């Protein structure tokens, strides 16, 4: 398939590209587009056949449901039942923005989009290009992150081109994602409401609206709460093997000294924060930004993992970051990228 790659510098001026992409969506095609979280790969959410093309292009397991994106929150009741009295409160507070609400779906949303679930995740993005695309298409857009399944999500147009050129109809290039982490997924069909995937909107933010909100455990289902179906798969994974080292930086640097490139064929690097780079002198170091700036770290994570992938590095020694709020979301992604390979030092 020949992919049309269209640059959007100013959404108003480049409206013809957005209109073209909207026509492609209406006709059952696939369009990758920027959002404020990560790039999405979209199709018409009301077309029973379109979703299967997304699963095929991404190589995504078919039991992993897609998020449905709306531009106009006032139309949400066309697609879901608002059973939770707080549903509207969440929407007023956090939409448009990086929160996906899992609610009971109406029959108009095809089973192919929700992987057969009776619920659907709905999100109203704030990015101008995403909003205009949905408006011009005149239908809600079902979109997972625009990466090959299992790979780090895409936060720059070049990442999308690397993964999906030749597999989708259109790629709308609209700069870098401002957040760089996927939306928070909150299941409000459960009591108490459960965060299935943490993101920029944190447990602390959501507890402000509903103090009973809980975070689904990262690694197991033993609390009886199934995670977002997608979270059971290996995710965000760089090609290199990643090991997360948890402990104070002196101990971590001593440990790394002992094993760094000692195995035959190992090409290693250290992934850490700015303040700790000096502990790893003489090694290849990638830094995610200042330790105190969680937003910067979140925004850099996927692009740094992809940058490492472009080198010959095959082992990443990453330092664990402690903290609440957004740090929890960052560590959720880093643990998954490391295949839960965490060593306490
Ligand atoms: O920020 C985002 O959410 C991006 C942009 C493009 O909007 N999208 C995204 O989609 O990250 P995806 O498909 O990569 O991740 C969606 C996650 C998966 O873990 C999926 O299992 C979960 O949301 N999910 C979707 N619908 C669900 C449902 N009905 N019940 C439980 N989990 C659901
Ligand atoms: Mg994804």
């Amino acid at each position: 398939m020949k992919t049309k790659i269209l640059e959007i510098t100013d959404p108003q001026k480049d409206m013809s590209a957005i209109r073209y992409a909207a026509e492609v969506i209406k006709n059952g095609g696939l369009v990758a587009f920027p959002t404020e979280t990560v790039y999405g790969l979209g199709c018409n959410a009301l077309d029973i056949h379109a979703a299967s093309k997304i699963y095929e292009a991404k190589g995504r397991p078919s039991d992993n449901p897609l998020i449905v994106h709306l531009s106009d929150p006032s139309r949400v009741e066309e697609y879901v039942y608002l059973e939770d009295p707080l549903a509207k409160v969440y929407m007023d507070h956090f939409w448009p923005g990086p929160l996906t609400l899992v609610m009971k779906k109406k029959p108009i949303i095809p089973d192919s989009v929700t992987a057969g679930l009776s619920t659907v995740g709905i999100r109203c993005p704030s990015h101008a290009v995403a909003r205009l695309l949905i408006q011009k298409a005149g239908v809600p857009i079902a979109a997972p992150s625009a990466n090959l399944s299992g790979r780090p999500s895409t936060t720059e147009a070049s990442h999308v081109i690397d993964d999906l050129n030749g597999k989708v109809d259109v790629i709308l290039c609209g700069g870098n994602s401002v957040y760089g982490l996927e939306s928070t997924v909150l299941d409000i069909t459960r009591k108490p409401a459960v965060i299935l995937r943490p993101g920029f909107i944190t447990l602390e933010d959501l507890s402000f609206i509903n103090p009973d909100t809980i975070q689904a455990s990262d690694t197991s289902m033993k609390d009886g709460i199934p995670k977002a179906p997608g979270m059971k798969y290996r995710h965000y994974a760089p090609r290199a093997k990643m090991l997360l080292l948890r402990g104070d930086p002196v101990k971590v640097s001593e440990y790394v000294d002992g094993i760094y490139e000692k195995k035959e064929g190992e090409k290693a690097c250290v992934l850490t924060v700015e303040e700790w780079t000096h502990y790893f002198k003489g090694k290849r170091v990638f830094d995610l930004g200042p330790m105190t700036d969680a937003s910067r770290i979140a925004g850099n994570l996927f692009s740094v993992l992809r940058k490492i992938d472009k080198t010959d590095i095959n082992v990443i020694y990453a330092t664990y970051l402690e903290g609440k709020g957004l740090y929890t979301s960052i560590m959720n992604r880093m643990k998954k990228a490391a295949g839960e390979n965490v060593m306490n030092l």
Side-chain angles (χ1 to χ4, degrees):
M1 177 189 292
K2 174 106 180 86
T3 300
K4 233 187 166 94
I5 298 175
L6 303 172
E7 198 69 46
I8 306 215
T9 39
D10 177 337
Q12 295 301 334
K13 283 195 196 128
D14 297 319
M15 197 53 104
S16 62
I18 296 176
R19 273 188 221 283
Y20 175 84
E23 279 304 311
V24 169
I25 296 270
K26 270 198 258 183
N27 293 324
L30 302 188
V31 174
F33 61 97
T35 87
E36 71 281 16
T37 56
V38 297
Y39 272 75
L41 175 59
C43 72
N44 177 355
L46 306 181
D47 178 337
I48 56 165
H49 303 295
S52 63
K53 296 183 197 165
I54 287 190
Y55 289 97
E56 197 186 319
K58 283 190 54 139
R60 180 179 173 108
S62 58
D63 64 348
N64 191 3
L66 308 179
I67 292 174
V68 171
H69 297 69
L70 306 180
S71 66
D72 181 0
S74 71
R75 295 187 59 177
V76 70
E77 280 183 276
E78 290 175 35
Y79 311 110
V80 290
Y81 300 98
L82 298 188
E83 291 171 336
D84 182 345
L86 289 177
K88 280 237 160 83
V89 184
Y90 289 114
M91 292 170 196
D92 287 346
H93 250 80
F94 297 110
W95 284 2
L99 178 68
T100 296
L101 292 172
V102 172
M103 294 175 279
K104 186 153 191 282
K105 83 173 185 78
K106 289 191 170 170
I108 188 173
I109 300 287
D111 285 346
S112 53
V113 165
T114 62
L117 295 179
S118 59
T119 57
V120 62
I122 306 260
R123 176 164 115 75
C124 190
S126 62
H127 195 290
V129 175
R131 297 176 63 74
L132 286 165
L133 179 66
I134 302 164
Q135 273 166 28
K136 299 295 166 206
V139 289
I141 293 186
S145 49
N147 51 277
L148 290 178
S149 191
R151 305 262 304 123
S153 297
T154 50
T155 55
E156 297 174 22
S158 66
H159 302 161
V160 183
I161 295 170
D162 284 345
D163 275 22
L164 298 176
N165 194 12
K167 296 192 162 83
V168 303
D169 299 287
V170 178
I171 297 176
L172 291 179
C173 305
N176 298 356
S177 305
V178 284
Y179 295 125
L181 274 196
E182 308 86 345
S183 62
T184 302
V185 178
L186 180 70
D187 185 346
I188 57 170
T189 66
R190 292 169 196 279
K191 298 286 164 280
V194 189
I195 299 173
L196 300 177
R197 179 178 69 183
F200 249 81
I201 293 170
T202 62
L203 175 64
E204 290 75 6
D205 298 329
L206 294 165
S207 300
F208 183 70
I209 295 193
N210 178 357
D212 296 333
T213 312
I214 57 169
Q215 166 80 60
S217 77
D218 252 6
T219 50
S220 79
M221 303 215 299
K222 62 176 179 289
D223 53 6
I225 299 157
K227 293 169 285 183
M231 298 312 270
K232 67 175 185 256
Y233 295 106
R234 180 139 192 249
H235 254 138
Y236 321 116
R239 285 182 231 285
K241 187 169 167 259
M242 181 158 149
L243 175 61
L244 261 176
L245 301 168
R246 188 171 193 174
D248 82 71
V250 176
K251 277 202 181 133
V252 170
S253 65
E254 281 168 7
Y255 179 80
V256 172
D257 270 340
I259 55 169
Y260 192 88
E261 295 191 340
K262 295 268 164 28
K263 265 200 204 134
E264 183 157 350
E266 177 173 307
K267 297 256 190 304
C269 75
V270 175
L271 177 62
T272 187
V273 286
E274 218 170 273
E275 292 84 344
W276 290 352
T277 53
H278 71 274
Y279 289 105
F280 303 99
K281 286 216 175 81
K283 303 187 171 60
R284 274 196 278 197
V285 179
F286 290 81
D287 95 70
L288 290 165
M291 187 160 34
T292 48
D293 192 345
S295 304
R296 279 263 289 281
I297 295 173
N300 287 335
L301 178 62
F302 291 138
S303 82
V304 172
L305 290 178
R306 281 180 174 265
K307 201 192 278 172
I308 294 172
D309 267 353
K310 297 227 158 184
T311 68
D312 59 353
I313 289 165
N314 51 23
V315 178
I316 304 170
Y317 297 109
T319 56
Y320 195 101
L321 303 173
E322 305 291 346
K324 285 178 150 181
L326 190 48
Y327 290 98
T328 314
S329 311
I330 294 166
M331 290 322 296
N332 168 279
R333 305 306 192 273
M334 286 184 74
K335 279 186 223 159
K336 295 226 151 37
E340 308 291 338
N341 208 352
V342 183
M343 183 178 278
N344 293 307
L345 294 169

